Amino acid sequence: MIRDITLGQYYPAKSIIHQLDPRVKLVTTMVYIVSLFVAKGILGYVLATFFLAMTVKLSKVPFRYITKGLKAIMMILLITVVFNLFLVDGDIVLWRFGFLRITDKGVKTAVFMAIRLIYLIIGSSIMTLTTTPNDLTDGLEKLLGPLKKIHVPVHEIAMMMSIALRFIPILLEETDKIMKAQIARGADFETGNLIQKARAMVPLLVPLFISAFRRANDLAMAMEARCYHGGDGRTKMKPLHYVSRDRMAYGLVWGYLLAMIGITWAERLYVTAFWPL
Amino acid sequence: MIRAEELTFEYERLDEEGNVESKKRAVDHVNLHIRPGKFIAVLGHNGSGKSTLAKHMNAILTPTEGTLWVDGMDTKEDDKLFRIRQDAGMVFQNPDNQIIGTVVEEDVGFGPENLGVPTDEIWTRVEESLSAVGMLKYRHHSPNKLSGGQKQRVAIAGVMAMHPRCIVLDEPTAMLDPNGRASVIRTARKLNQEEGITIILITHYMEEVVEADHVFVMDKGKVVMEGNPREIFSRVDELKSLRLDVPQATLLAYELQKRGIPLPKGILNNKELVDQLCQLKSKM
């Protein structure tokens, strides 16, 4: 059960999206999220849909695999839609029951909000599905590099992330082991109300924490023994270099954002010109 | 290669206000000299100070008293710290807690990355050291999917990639199954013979000591016995009083000697014992 929660669930495949520089993918995801909030009318969403569909197609990740990630946000999605549907004020009332009413504008906002959220999740899933966690941390370290000037410990943050990723499976396995050991001694993790269940976690968490600290201590010693001394004077085994396809991807992405701004602006002009209401 | 003079180390136990409550002497006036290219074993039961001694050789700990030189460099000098650590690599007991990379080859590259080795050379070093420990075909694997013995060999490769002159293995086999244990020791011996790297093996398994060039036996922080394995294993009573086991063949030979069978002292393995017994039989 715990094993399903994997950070950055990578889907191995050989596609152009997989081969892109992680920095490109990080920036693209950001730009795409921004573009979703720029879009206001139908045409904007058509463009966003087209861009997303193209990326999914190129990534060679099965669509079913991507939509699996959507299940997790179903609840949030539902709440957002319901709230928008009933609470947004509009001009034409479509349905009324007591104080509840649905307006044309409410429907529109609800639908767009749902699409926006779904696209947002799909967009970022594609990034994590096509990039190994290592590449992701490397990309992040390089992208945030300029922040070093204002004394943000960028290298240390990236190192912490990659160590965390390395130890997630080990600690999960350990949790499993401790759980079984405690069950063998009569611990009960299943029954009882919420408070009892939370209390049952104590004999699981205490040994887990102790072991995690011991591991951290060992690892720190092993890293020191191999001359680790922070990011200064360190070389990279796999340095990141932009190649032509990365530059092309950047061009496409910025072009897309410009097009989105253009379309949204044109749509607004059109609407105010013909439907001044 | 490594020389210790009157090396002493004390652990301090602090009370809640940070005052020294008690001191425990883990290493007590140890003198030793390890020559380059040798296969050295340090024996001792738990708490004999052997791991503490090992940590001095990599300058993770510095002596409370006395001095330890690695390749002529005093481990107390801060500016030589990284050269000492590069020169005397260290492999630890727990295979999981010393692998940093999420892919085998990235872990092996971690040491050279820290040393500032250029990218191209990192790759050649990674390949060389992975093939030296026989793990080249696992280079793209996740360390989590390897067996204990394989992980330890990756850890050895990680040290090898830093081009050390000496590797200190601190109970590398304590958490492994017999197969893994054999593969790690075989790898260490191979590196010693083929690459001429000084190996210092800290252990409490007698079988691993048999083929060492020189053995130090530690007890209560002191070096109590020293010599080649044959000399050490001929002193069965002393070893027993130090709560150390001797290999079965040695023990059997020793018991037979006590019953009056004229066997030579310090028999190390089954083959030697069988040979000696057969010789005796043919004389009868």
PDB file of all heavy atoms in Angstrom, chain A residues 31 34-41 43-44 47 253-269:
ATOM      1  N   VAL A  31       5.797  27.341 -17.414  1.00  0.00           N
ATOM      2  CA  VAL A  31       5.177  28.177 -18.445  1.00  0.00           C
ATOM      3  C   VAL A  31       3.768  27.677 -18.733  1.00  0.00           C
ATOM      4  O   VAL A  31       2.826  28.458 -18.865  1.00  0.00           O
ATOM      5  CB  VAL A  31       6.038  28.168 -19.733  1.00  0.00           C
ATOM      6  CG1 VAL A  31       5.266  28.775 -20.904  1.00  0.00           C
ATOM      7  CG2 VAL A  31       7.324  28.921 -19.503  1.00  0.00           C
ATOM      8  N   VAL A  34       1.395  28.735 -16.039  1.00  0.00           N
ATOM      9  CA  VAL A  34       1.084  30.159 -16.205  1.00  0.00           C
ATOM     10  C   VAL A  34       0.081  30.341 -17.343  1.00  0.00           C
ATOM     11  O   VAL A  34      -0.920  31.050 -17.206  1.00  0.00           O
ATOM     12  CB  VAL A  34       2.375  30.970 -16.479  1.00  0.00           C
ATOM     13  CG1 VAL A  34       2.038  32.385 -16.921  1.00  0.00           C
ATOM     14  CG2 VAL A  34       3.249  30.981 -15.250  1.00  0.00           C
ATOM     15  N   SER A  35       0.331  29.635 -18.451  1.00  0.00           N
ATOM     16  CA  SER A  35      -0.535  29.809 -19.626  1.00  0.00           C
ATOM     17  C   SER A  35      -1.972  29.408 -19.314  1.00  0.00           C
ATOM     18  O   SER A  35      -2.922  29.997 -19.830  1.00  0.00           O
ATOM     19  CB  SER A  35       0.000  28.988 -20.805  1.00  0.00           C
ATOM     20  OG  SER A  35      -0.404  27.642 -20.689  1.00  0.00           O
ATOM     21  N   LEU A  36      -2.138  28.403 -18.447  1.00  0.00           N
ATOM     22  CA  LEU A  36      -3.492  27.970 -18.098  1.00  0.00           C
ATOM     23  C   LEU A  36      -4.245  29.067 -17.360  1.00  0.00           C
ATOM     24  O   LEU A  36      -5.467  29.167 -17.443  1.00  0.00           O
ATOM     25  CB  LEU A  36      -3.438  26.723 -17.220  1.00  0.00           C
ATOM     26  CG  LEU A  36      -3.113  25.417 -17.923  1.00  0.00           C
ATOM     27  CD1 LEU A  36      -3.008  24.287 -16.914  1.00  0.00           C
ATOM     28  CD2 LEU A  36      -4.158  25.083 -18.964  1.00  0.00           C
ATOM     29  N   PHE A  37      -3.504  29.890 -16.628  1.00  0.00           N
ATOM     30  CA  PHE A  37      -4.175  30.966 -15.916  1.00  0.00           C
ATOM     31  C   PHE A  37      -4.333  32.215 -16.765  1.00  0.00           C
ATOM     32  O   PHE A  37      -5.123  33.088 -16.446  1.00  0.00           O
ATOM     33  CB  PHE A  37      -3.435  31.262 -14.597  1.00  0.00           C
ATOM     34  CG  PHE A  37      -3.677  30.186 -13.585  1.00  0.00           C
ATOM     35  CD1 PHE A  37      -2.829  29.103 -13.475  1.00  0.00           C
ATOM     36  CD2 PHE A  37      -4.810  30.230 -12.778  1.00  0.00           C
ATOM     37  CE1 PHE A  37      -3.086  28.083 -12.566  1.00  0.00           C
ATOM     38  CE2 PHE A  37      -5.074  29.226 -11.870  1.00  0.00           C
ATOM     39  CZ  PHE A  37      -4.205  28.141 -11.768  1.00  0.00           C
ATOM     40  N   VAL A  38      -3.555  32.271 -17.856  1.00  0.00           N
ATOM     41  CA  VAL A  38      -3.724  33.379 -18.805  1.00  0.00           C
ATOM     42  C   VAL A  38      -5.007  33.157 -19.615  1.00  0.00           C
ATOM     43  O   VAL A  38      -5.775  34.079 -19.856  1.00  0.00           O
ATOM     44  CB  VAL A  38      -2.494  33.479 -19.731  1.00  0.00           C
ATOM     45  CG1 VAL A  38      -2.769  34.414 -20.889  1.00  0.00           C
ATOM     46  CG2 VAL A  38      -1.274  33.944 -18.955  1.00  0.00           C
ATOM     47  N   ALA A  39      -5.241  31.905 -20.012  1.00  0.00           N
ATOM     48  CA  ALA A  39      -6.357  31.579 -20.896  1.00  0.00           C
ATOM     49  C   ALA A  39      -7.694  31.975 -20.258  1.00  0.00           C
ATOM     50  O   ALA A  39      -7.939  31.710 -19.083  1.00  0.00           O
ATOM     51  CB  ALA A  39      -6.349  30.079 -21.184  1.00  0.00           C
ATOM     52  N   LYS A  40      -8.512  32.654 -21.066  1.00  0.00           N
ATOM     53  CA  LYS A  40      -9.808  33.069 -20.534  1.00  0.00           C
ATOM     54  C   LYS A  40     -10.980  32.528 -21.369  1.00  0.00           C
ATOM     55  O   LYS A  40     -12.052  32.262 -20.860  1.00  0.00           O
ATOM     56  CB  LYS A  40      -9.907  34.601 -20.497  1.00  0.00           C
ATOM     57  CG  LYS A  40      -9.040  35.249 -19.432  1.00  0.00           C
ATOM     58  CD  LYS A  40      -9.690  35.161 -18.063  1.00  0.00           C
ATOM     59  CE  LYS A  40      -8.850  35.842 -16.999  1.00  0.00           C
ATOM     60  NZ  LYS A  40      -7.586  35.125 -16.725  1.00  0.00           N
ATOM     61  N   GLY A  41     -10.755  32.364 -22.671  1.00  0.00           N
ATOM     62  CA  GLY A  41     -11.865  31.962 -23.544  1.00  0.00           C
ATOM     63  C   GLY A  41     -11.649  30.596 -24.161  1.00  0.00           C
ATOM     64  O   GLY A  41     -10.641  29.940 -23.913  1.00  0.00           O
ATOM     65  N   LEU A  43     -10.986  29.614 -27.193  1.00  0.00           N
ATOM     66  CA  LEU A  43      -9.844  29.434 -28.093  1.00  0.00           C
ATOM     67  C   LEU A  43      -8.558  29.159 -27.308  1.00  0.00           C
ATOM     68  O   LEU A  43      -7.739  28.336 -27.702  1.00  0.00           O
ATOM     69  CB  LEU A  43      -9.658  30.659 -28.974  1.00  0.00           C
ATOM     70  CG  LEU A  43     -10.535  30.686 -30.227  1.00  0.00           C
ATOM     71  CD1 LEU A  43     -10.284  31.969 -31.020  1.00  0.00           C
ATOM     72  CD2 LEU A  43     -10.274  29.466 -31.103  1.00  0.00           C
ATOM     73  N   GLY A  44      -8.420  29.876 -26.203  1.00  0.00           N
ATOM     74  CA  GLY A  44      -7.247  29.682 -25.353  1.00  0.00           C
ATOM     75  C   GLY A  44      -7.169  28.240 -24.877  1.00  0.00           C
ATOM     76  O   GLY A  44      -6.106  27.614 -24.927  1.00  0.00           O
ATOM     77  N   LEU A  47      -6.113  25.871 -27.600  1.00  0.00           N
ATOM     78  CA  LEU A  47      -4.665  25.905 -27.794  1.00  0.00           C
ATOM     79  C   LEU A  47      -3.958  25.078 -26.703  1.00  0.00           C
ATOM     80  O   LEU A  47      -3.064  24.277 -27.003  1.00  0.00           O
ATOM     81  CB  LEU A  47      -4.166  27.349 -27.767  1.00  0.00           C
ATOM     82  CG  LEU A  47      -2.675  27.530 -28.005  1.00  0.00           C
ATOM     83  CD1 LEU A  47      -2.294  27.115 -29.416  1.00  0.00           C
ATOM     84  CD2 LEU A  47      -2.250  28.968 -27.747  1.00  0.00           C
ATOM     85  N   VAL A 253       8.036  26.498 -26.650  1.00  0.00           N
ATOM     86  CA  VAL A 253       7.317  26.798 -25.423  1.00  0.00           C
ATOM     87  C   VAL A 253       7.036  28.294 -25.306  1.00  0.00           C
ATOM     88  O   VAL A 253       5.915  28.706 -25.018  1.00  0.00           O
ATOM     89  CB  VAL A 253       8.134  26.311 -24.196  1.00  0.00           C
ATOM     90  CG1 VAL A 253       7.552  26.872 -22.912  1.00  0.00           C
ATOM     91  CG2 VAL A 253       8.159  24.805 -24.166  1.00  0.00           C
ATOM     92  N   TRP A 254       8.058  29.103 -25.563  1.00  0.00           N
ATOM     93  CA  TRP A 254       7.837  30.550 -25.475  1.00  0.00           C
ATOM     94  C   TRP A 254       6.877  31.003 -26.566  1.00  0.00           C
ATOM     95  O   TRP A 254       6.038  31.868 -26.326  1.00  0.00           O
ATOM     96  CB  TRP A 254       9.155  31.309 -25.547  1.00  0.00           C
ATOM     97  CG  TRP A 254      10.021  31.060 -24.341  1.00  0.00           C
ATOM     98  CD1 TRP A 254      11.233  30.445 -24.332  1.00  0.00           C
ATOM     99  CD2 TRP A 254       9.721  31.377 -22.979  1.00  0.00           C
ATOM    100  NE1 TRP A 254      11.714  30.351 -23.035  1.00  0.00           N
ATOM    101  CE2 TRP A 254      10.811  30.926 -22.182  1.00  0.00           C
ATOM    102  CE3 TRP A 254       8.645  31.988 -22.327  1.00  0.00           C
ATOM    103  CZ2 TRP A 254      10.856  31.063 -20.812  1.00  0.00           C
ATOM    104  CZ3 TRP A 254       8.698  32.133 -20.951  1.00  0.00           C
ATOM    105  CH2 TRP A 254       9.781  31.673 -20.205  1.00  0.00           C
ATOM    106  N   GLY A 255       6.996  30.388 -27.739  1.00  0.00           N
ATOM    107  CA  GLY A 255       6.053  30.695 -28.831  1.00  0.00           C
ATOM    108  C   GLY A 255       4.626  30.398 -28.396  1.00  0.00           C
ATOM    109  O   GLY A 255       3.700  31.192 -28.616  1.00  0.00           O
ATOM    110  N   TYR A 256       4.471  29.271 -27.728  1.00  0.00           N
ATOM    111  CA  TYR A 256       3.152  28.857 -27.247  1.00  0.00           C
ATOM    112  C   TYR A 256       2.590  29.885 -26.272  1.00  0.00           C
ATOM    113  O   TYR A 256       1.422  30.280 -26.360  1.00  0.00           O
ATOM    114  CB  TYR A 256       3.262  27.478 -26.593  1.00  0.00           C
ATOM    115  CG  TYR A 256       2.134  27.148 -25.642  1.00  0.00           C
ATOM    116  CD1 TYR A 256       0.876  26.788 -26.130  1.00  0.00           C
ATOM    117  CD2 TYR A 256       2.323  27.212 -24.269  1.00  0.00           C
ATOM    118  CE1 TYR A 256      -0.154  26.499 -25.261  1.00  0.00           C
ATOM    119  CE2 TYR A 256       1.301  26.926 -23.401  1.00  0.00           C
ATOM    120  CZ  TYR A 256       0.059  26.576 -23.895  1.00  0.00           C
ATOM    121  OH  TYR A 256      -0.957  26.301 -23.026  1.00  0.00           O
ATOM    122  N   LEU A 257       3.444  30.345 -25.345  1.00  0.00           N
ATOM    123  CA  LEU A 257       2.970  31.320 -24.351  1.00  0.00           C
ATOM    124  C   LEU A 257       2.541  32.616 -25.039  1.00  0.00           C
ATOM    125  O   LEU A 257       1.480  33.180 -24.720  1.00  0.00           O
ATOM    126  CB  LEU A 257       4.054  31.602 -23.311  1.00  0.00           C
ATOM    127  CG  LEU A 257       3.585  32.466 -22.128  1.00  0.00           C
ATOM    128  CD1 LEU A 257       2.542  31.732 -21.304  1.00  0.00           C
ATOM    129  CD2 LEU A 257       4.752  32.874 -21.240  1.00  0.00           C
ATOM    130  N   LEU A 258       3.342  33.052 -25.989  1.00  0.00           N
ATOM    131  CA  LEU A 258       2.996  34.278 -26.725  1.00  0.00           C
ATOM    132  C   LEU A 258       1.669  34.096 -27.445  1.00  0.00           C
ATOM    133  O   LEU A 258       0.802  34.977 -27.412  1.00  0.00           O
ATOM    134  CB  LEU A 258       4.098  34.623 -27.728  1.00  0.00           C
ATOM    135  CG  LEU A 258       5.342  35.287 -27.126  1.00  0.00           C
ATOM    136  CD1 LEU A 258       6.373  35.550 -28.207  1.00  0.00           C
ATOM    137  CD2 LEU A 258       4.954  36.585 -26.416  1.00  0.00           C
ATOM    138  N   ALA A 259       1.513  32.956 -28.108  1.00  0.00           N
ATOM    139  CA  ALA A 259       0.272  32.683 -28.833  1.00  0.00           C
ATOM    140  C   ALA A 259      -0.916  32.714 -27.881  1.00  0.00           C
ATOM    141  O   ALA A 259      -1.988  33.267 -28.195  1.00  0.00           O
ATOM    142  CB  ALA A 259       0.361  31.320 -29.528  1.00  0.00           C
ATOM    143  N   MET A 260      -0.723  32.140 -26.721  1.00  0.00           N
ATOM    144  CA  MET A 260      -1.784  32.107 -25.722  1.00  0.00           C
ATOM    145  C   MET A 260      -2.187  33.522 -25.312  1.00  0.00           C
ATOM    146  O   MET A 260      -3.383  33.858 -25.251  1.00  0.00           O
ATOM    147  CB  MET A 260      -1.301  31.312 -24.506  1.00  0.00           C
ATOM    148  CG  MET A 260      -2.314  31.210 -23.388  1.00  0.00           C
ATOM    149  SD  MET A 260      -3.822  30.377 -23.905  1.00  0.00           S
ATOM    150  CE  MET A 260      -3.385  28.687 -23.609  1.00  0.00           C
ATOM    151  N   ILE A 261      -1.175  34.366 -25.038  1.00  0.00           N
ATOM    152  CA  ILE A 261      -1.466  35.747 -24.660  1.00  0.00           C
ATOM    153  C   ILE A 261      -2.187  36.462 -25.798  1.00  0.00           C
ATOM    154  O   ILE A 261      -3.198  37.141 -25.591  1.00  0.00           O
ATOM    155  CB  ILE A 261      -0.158  36.485 -24.282  1.00  0.00           C
ATOM    156  CG1 ILE A 261       0.429  35.852 -23.007  1.00  0.00           C
ATOM    157  CG2 ILE A 261      -0.408  37.978 -24.061  1.00  0.00           C
ATOM    158  CD1 ILE A 261       1.823  36.324 -22.661  1.00  0.00           C
ATOM    159  N   GLY A 262      -1.706  36.231 -27.007  1.00  0.00           N
ATOM    160  CA  GLY A 262      -2.304  36.862 -28.184  1.00  0.00           C
ATOM    161  C   GLY A 262      -3.765  36.464 -28.343  1.00  0.00           C
ATOM    162  O   GLY A 262      -4.657  37.319 -28.495  1.00  0.00           O
ATOM    163  N   ILE A 263      -4.016  35.167 -28.262  1.00  0.00           N
ATOM    164  CA  ILE A 263      -5.379  34.658 -28.461  1.00  0.00           C
ATOM    165  C   ILE A 263      -6.323  35.215 -27.403  1.00  0.00           C
ATOM    166  O   ILE A 263      -7.417  35.690 -27.691  1.00  0.00           O
ATOM    167  CB  ILE A 263      -5.381  33.108 -28.420  1.00  0.00           C
ATOM    168  CG1 ILE A 263      -4.847  32.562 -29.732  1.00  0.00           C
ATOM    169  CG2 ILE A 263      -6.778  32.573 -28.154  1.00  0.00           C
ATOM    170  CD1 ILE A 263      -4.826  31.069 -29.791  1.00  0.00           C
ATOM    171  N   THR A 264      -5.854  35.192 -26.156  1.00  0.00           N
ATOM    172  CA  THR A 264      -6.696  35.667 -25.062  1.00  0.00           C
ATOM    173  C   THR A 264      -7.047  37.139 -25.250  1.00  0.00           C
ATOM    174  O   THR A 264      -8.186  37.570 -25.080  1.00  0.00           O
ATOM    175  CB  THR A 264      -5.974  35.469 -23.725  1.00  0.00           C
ATOM    176  OG1 THR A 264      -5.536  34.125 -23.664  1.00  0.00           O
ATOM    177  CG2 THR A 264      -6.883  35.771 -22.562  1.00  0.00           C
ATOM    178  N   TRP A 265      -6.053  37.884 -25.688  1.00  0.00           N
ATOM    179  CA  TRP A 265      -6.238  39.323 -25.904  1.00  0.00           C
ATOM    180  C   TRP A 265      -7.229  39.562 -27.049  1.00  0.00           C
ATOM    181  O   TRP A 265      -8.139  40.364 -26.933  1.00  0.00           O
ATOM    182  CB  TRP A 265      -4.866  39.932 -26.195  1.00  0.00           C
ATOM    183  CG  TRP A 265      -4.851  41.415 -26.340  1.00  0.00           C
ATOM    184  CD1 TRP A 265      -5.150  42.327 -25.387  1.00  0.00           C
ATOM    185  CD2 TRP A 265      -4.527  42.137 -27.533  1.00  0.00           C
ATOM    186  NE1 TRP A 265      -5.017  43.602 -25.894  1.00  0.00           N
ATOM    187  CE2 TRP A 265      -4.642  43.505 -27.200  1.00  0.00           C
ATOM    188  CE3 TRP A 265      -4.148  41.765 -28.835  1.00  0.00           C
ATOM    189  CZ2 TRP A 265      -4.391  44.516 -28.143  1.00  0.00           C
ATOM    190  CZ3 TRP A 265      -3.886  42.770 -29.758  1.00  0.00           C
ATOM    191  CH2 TRP A 265      -4.022  44.126 -29.413  1.00  0.00           C
ATOM    192  N   ALA A 266      -7.047  38.798 -28.111  1.00  0.00           N
ATOM    193  CA  ALA A 266      -7.925  38.941 -29.280  1.00  0.00           C
ATOM    194  C   ALA A 266      -9.356  38.576 -28.909  1.00  0.00           C
ATOM    195  O   ALA A 266     -10.317  39.262 -29.288  1.00  0.00           O
ATOM    196  CB  ALA A 266      -7.431  38.048 -30.417  1.00  0.00           C
ATOM    197  N   GLU A 267      -9.487  37.509 -28.133  1.00  0.00           N
ATOM    198  CA  GLU A 267     -10.817  37.059 -27.724  1.00  0.00           C
ATOM    199  C   GLU A 267     -11.535  38.131 -26.909  1.00  0.00           C
ATOM    200  O   GLU A 267     -12.721  38.397 -27.089  1.00  0.00           O
ATOM    201  CB  GLU A 267     -10.684  35.778 -26.887  1.00  0.00           C
ATOM    202  CG  GLU A 267     -11.263  34.579 -27.584  1.00  0.00           C
ATOM    203  CD  GLU A 267     -11.065  33.299 -26.786  1.00  0.00           C
ATOM    204  OE1 GLU A 267     -10.119  33.205 -25.977  1.00  0.00           O
ATOM    205  OE2 GLU A 267     -11.858  32.389 -26.984  1.00  0.00           O
ATOM    206  N   ARG A 268     -10.749  38.744 -26.010  1.00  0.00           N
ATOM    207  CA  ARG A 268     -11.351  39.769 -25.156  1.00  0.00           C
ATOM    208  C   ARG A 268     -11.813  40.956 -26.002  1.00  0.00           C
ATOM    209  O   ARG A 268     -12.926  41.461 -25.830  1.00  0.00           O
ATOM    210  CB  ARG A 268     -10.346  40.223 -24.107  1.00  0.00           C
ATOM    211  CG  ARG A 268     -10.866  41.383 -23.287  1.00  0.00           C
ATOM    212  CD  ARG A 268     -10.112  41.561 -22.018  1.00  0.00           C
ATOM    213  NE  ARG A 268     -10.106  40.353 -21.219  1.00  0.00           N
ATOM    214  CZ  ARG A 268      -9.256  40.134 -20.219  1.00  0.00           C
ATOM    215  NH1 ARG A 268      -8.346  41.034 -19.935  1.00  0.00           N
ATOM    216  NH2 ARG A 268      -9.319  39.037 -19.532  1.00  0.00           N
ATOM    217  N   LEU A 269     -10.964  41.356 -26.966  1.00  0.00           N
ATOM    218  CA  LEU A 269     -11.324  42.457 -27.862  1.00  0.00           C
ATOM    219  C   LEU A 269     -12.634  42.139 -28.588  1.00  0.00           C
ATOM    220  O   LEU A 269     -13.544  42.945 -28.666  1.00  0.00           O
ATOM    221  CB  LEU A 269     -10.224  42.679 -28.899  1.00  0.00           C
ATOM    222  CG  LEU A 269      -9.070  43.595 -28.481  1.00  0.00           C
ATOM    223  CD1 LEU A 269      -8.156  43.807 -29.662  1.00  0.00           C
ATOM    224  CD2 LEU A 269      -9.599  44.916 -27.951  1.00  0.00           C
TER     225      LEU A 269
END
